[in-house]
Amino acid sequence: MNATHAANADADSHSAISTSKRGLIQVWSRTLIPTAKEAPADAEAISHKLLARGGFIRRVSAGVYTYLPLGWRVLGKVAEIVRQEMNAAGASELLMPALAPVDLLKETGRAEDYGDLLFRFTDRHQRDTYLGPTHEEVITDLMRSAITSYRQLPLNLYQIQTKFRDEFRPRAGLLRGREFVMKDAYSFHMHIEGPGGLNDAYDAMYRAYENIFTRCGLDFTVVEAEAGPIGGSASHEFMVNTESGEDTILVCPRTGYAANVEKCEIGRRKEPGKGYFNGDPLGDLEEVHTPECPGIEDVCKLLKTKPRNMLKTVVFRAPELEKWIVAVVRGDHDVNEGKVRDLAGSRVELADAAAATKAGFAIGYVSPRAALKVENVIMLIDRDAAVGFDDEAGKAMYWVTGADKKDFHVKKFNWRRDMGAALDDASKVKVADVRNAMAGDPSPRAGGAEGVQLEAKRGIEVGHIFKLGVKYSAAMKFEVLDDNQQRRPVIMGCYGIGVSRTVASCVEMSHDDNGIVWPAAIAPFHVIITPMDVDPTSKAMEVACKLSGALSEAGMDVLIDDREERPGVKFKDADLIGIPVRLTIGDKALAEDSVEFKQRTDAGKGSLVKIGDVVRKCAGALG
Ligand code: ATP
Ligand code: MG
């Protein structure tokens, strides 16, 4: 940490209340908080239900929401935490446009890679235009015109901005929107190691992310991740630990190793006693007619077998190698494209059905035997699929696979008999880890301890950091002279946080039967005051005004519920919107010069607190 970082870090207050600033005071009747008893019919996720019912968000169309005043305040508080931590880590904020010319994406090939995810249209001058799903190209374009010397680097620039992705299935309110708020940062370096290098910036971002999500009150796991379509060499995801998450992560209980399914390695698997592929056939190969069976489950039903007895064969193309890559896994497993790519040692893409058919693959009915007929094939067989004899059952494996012709499968496939010596050509056939890891698989990092199994957990991806390398700078010719007067592409990293998704994740994690339970740091208001008598001339309102002034002076944001509603309704709403502290001002308490103090997390009734002690009591409770 250099001097600037240290100074920034000191200046940032990490408590939920900023004592240097007056808090906001609002009255309920003069703002828009349309609470509702019922959640919208399309809401399944609890965060979607509660944010809608609490009057935080309102749907405009699929995956597109208005942030109402309460929602906007929470979003602002999360954004402010993000901003403080990014600034403290030495990054500078800017704002790029959401609208950009598709020509920029064409420079990196992403105009095509994004496909339908991209919101794309032509403007009135017929210019191909898009709404940014992320901003690597826009910032690289900026940097190549602004940076000429290595002396201007390293730099880390970020923005907090609206992103657009035409998600196939927008769902769960703010968790997966088509328009959402992201913090995206991009770092630029001349080298990877050492001070000022990419690794330094990456580690600083890693720590900043830990601070951000901790301050938001989230329980999270950092997992190793695949770089995905953005490309690059290393990446981590920040996953909120919640059963409702749509991502599966795998964790080694012994070492804490955690990875998402796309990335997770599998530890040493037991080899079959007779070696791979070996085992006598169970009988003659039998061809069966399997019409209208598009999926493995359908074939299994028809043939009365289980997915674990099927061989699933997926055909990839490695364009640079000019080869077909045929991946074989068990029917109950999933092919892992990243592992296929690594084993092939080259970029791979799912084979184009027409091209593969022309080459001789009966797509949908491909068996390992296709590799014997088609030219230029490399076959990658998962360890669990390359078994000829089932040691547990004590008999040969019963395999069902495609018949290499439409609408037909074969039963009693036998590796040795049906593939012969082709299996022994190590340049064409590899037995390896080809599939996604699952719970129960041996841990890859148990420090040599046998029997330690991976455990599965669910999570929500709130942040993602990548070491990009020169993917964008090389494609877009962002090169600068280094200290040897050599032109070199700049080394980049990129770092994203789903700011609006973080808001929803906080609700997923922190709620009860009555509503949201906001952590104080991101609550829309710290304190809600509920006067029993809302007549402006009443004693209760007078005390409410006085108290809100004093609380605001101490840095707390206060909402006064001045509605003419029954107390029961107001208490229910206060719980629903999740304000951390409620102060109720009724005659009985006032007679004792007190108000009723209750934290959102307290069960039952509150306790009486002397009016003079309220500020101290609230500040203490809010930490
Ligand atoms: P996912 O796998 O969930 O689709 P992603 O990996 O495509 O997300 P990134 O490109 O890594 O997303 O974007 C950075 C961050 O933006 C993600 O970690 C996530 O928190 C957030 N994000 C991505 N897509 C959405 C979305 N549709 N709605 C809300 N937040 C999103
Ligand atoms: Mg991601």
Side-chain angles (χ1 to χ4, degrees), residues 445-515:
R445 305 276 170 84
E450 288 286 331
V452 180
Q453 296 181 346
L454 289 169
E455 290 170 4
K457 291 207 290 188
R458 308 286 292 172
I460 302 171
E461 179 193 326
V462 283
H464 199 166
I465 57 179
F466 299 87
K467 292 182 187 175
L468 289 174
V470 298
K471 181 178 156 89
Y472 294 93
S473 51
M476 297 183 70
K477 299 230 164 10
F478 171 30
E479 296 170 340
V480 298
L481 291 177
D482 66 11
D483 49 1
N484 293 320
Q485 295 298 306
Q486 301 284 319
R487 287 191 79 77
R488 282 202 288 125
V490 169
I491 295 163
M492 292 171 56
C494 77
Y495 317 92
I497 288 182
V499 180
S500 44
R501 185 182 282 183
T502 299
V503 169
S505 305
C506 289
V507 180
E508 290 287 332
M509 267 209 59
S510 186
H511 63 266
D512 62 17
D513 291 346
N514 300 322

Side-chain angles (χ1 to χ4, degrees), residues 165 167 174-178 180 182 230 237 246-247 461-464 466 496-498 500-501:
R165 295 184 183 181
E167 299 276 357
L174 299 186
L175 285 176
R176 185 172 296 283
R178 295 195 300 155
F180 59 97
M182 194 202 283
I230 293 190
E237 285 169 349
E246 62 174 12
D247 289 310
E461 179 193 326
V462 283
H464 199 166
F466 299 87
I497 288 182
S500 44
R501 185 182 282 183

Side-chain angles (χ1 to χ4, degrees), residues 315-396:
V315 184
F316 294 88
R317 182 74 187 163
E320 280 81 23
L321 301 179
E322 298 189 353
K323 281 194 190 300
W324 302 103
I325 312 288
V326 174
V328 187
V329 299
R330 233 167 54 185
D332 56 335
H333 292 153
D334 289 311
V335 173
N336 181 298
E337 191 170 328
K339 292 178 183 178
V340 171
R341 178 199 57 215
D342 292 347
L343 289 163
S346 175
R347 188 169 68 89
V348 295
E349 53 200 24
L350 265 187
D352 170 65
T357 308
K358 196 161 161 226
F361 291 108
I363 292 296
Y365 304 88
V366 179
S367 89
R369 293 188 303 160
L372 301 176
K373 292 186 297 186
V374 183
E375 299 276 297
N376 292 320
V377 173
I378 294 176
M379 191 152 61
L380 305 173
I381 308 165
D382 186 67
R383 293 185 187 284
D384 296 326
V387 178
F389 189 86
D390 184 344
D391 288 323
E392 256 167 54
K395 58 179 186 201

